[in-house]
């Protein structure tokens, strides 16, 4: 049982950076795999990044590789998504999600049982 709250979104110009945060409740946060997904207006949910419980291995969608960095601070029950060199096509609602234990198929949204409310990222040209 986990509650997730995203923050850090906003309206920025292309080329700017943002750091999104996902704050989690509970005492077993380190045992959860955490993923970031995004949904642009009128589009399907898209996998962005994940950090795997136990190994702390990190994974990225090809579209964000090299610009986005996921990290976790278990002492603060928080996962971060650092976003650099923002592009207009990054505009979306960004969601934090969690699943207990490690995940083999970390890019499948249906494998995550807990979701935050989302934070809006808007990038202007």
């Amino acid at each position: 049982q986990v509650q997730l709250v995203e923050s850090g979104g906003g309206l920025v110009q292309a080329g700017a950076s943002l750091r999104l945060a996902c704050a989690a409740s509970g005492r077993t946060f380190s045992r959860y795999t955490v993923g970031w997904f995004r949904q642009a207006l009128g589009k399907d949910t898209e996998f962005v990044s994940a950090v795997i419980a136990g190994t702390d291995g990190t994974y990225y969608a090809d579209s964000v590789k090299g610009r986005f960095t996921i990290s976790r601070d278990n002492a603060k029950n928080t996962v971060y998504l650092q976003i650099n060199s923002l592009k207009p096509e990054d505009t979306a609602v960004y969601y934090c999600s969690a699943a207990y234990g490690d995940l083999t198929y970390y890019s499948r949204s249906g494998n995550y049982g807990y979701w935050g409310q989302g934070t809006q990222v808007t990038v202007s040209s």
Side-chain angles (χ1 to χ4, degrees):
Q1 183 66 33
V2 177
Q3 289 192 64
L4 306 171
V5 180
E6 302 96 331
S7 62
L11 173 62
V12 299
Q13 295 183 204
S17 297
L18 286 172
R19 189 178 72 159
L20 308 185
C22 173
S25 65
R27 295 172 291 173
T28 59
F29 176 67
S30 65
R31 302 179 190 174
Y32 286 80
T33 290
V34 176
W36 285 95
F37 293 79
R38 66 186 182 186
Q39 186 170 30
L41 187 64
K43 303 291 184 67
D44 291 334
T45 299
E46 176 188 20
F47 170 75
V48 175
S49 184
V51 57
I52 310 302
T55 68
D56 285 344
T58 58
Y59 300 91
Y60 301 91
D62 288 341
S63 60
V64 307
K65 199 171 300 180
R67 297 188 297 120
F68 288 29
T69 303
I70 190 171
S71 62
R72 70 190 303 164
D73 186 339
N74 291 328
K76 297 184 182 296
N77 273 22
T78 302
V79 169
Y80 301 96
L81 186 68
Q82 177 69 40
I83 310 176
N84 297 327
S85 302
L86 277 158
K87 305 175 181 180
E89 51 262 43
D90 294 320
T91 295
V93 177
Y94 284 71
Y95 295 94
C96 179
S97 59
Y100 190 81
D102 59 357
L103 285 179
T104 299
Y105 300 104
Y106 50 81
S107 64
R108 296 180 179 177
S109 61
N111 288 343
Y112 295 81
Y114 304 95
W115 294 82
Q117 84 290 349
T119 185
Q120 176 72 49
V121 172
T122 303
V123 185
S124 62
S125 300

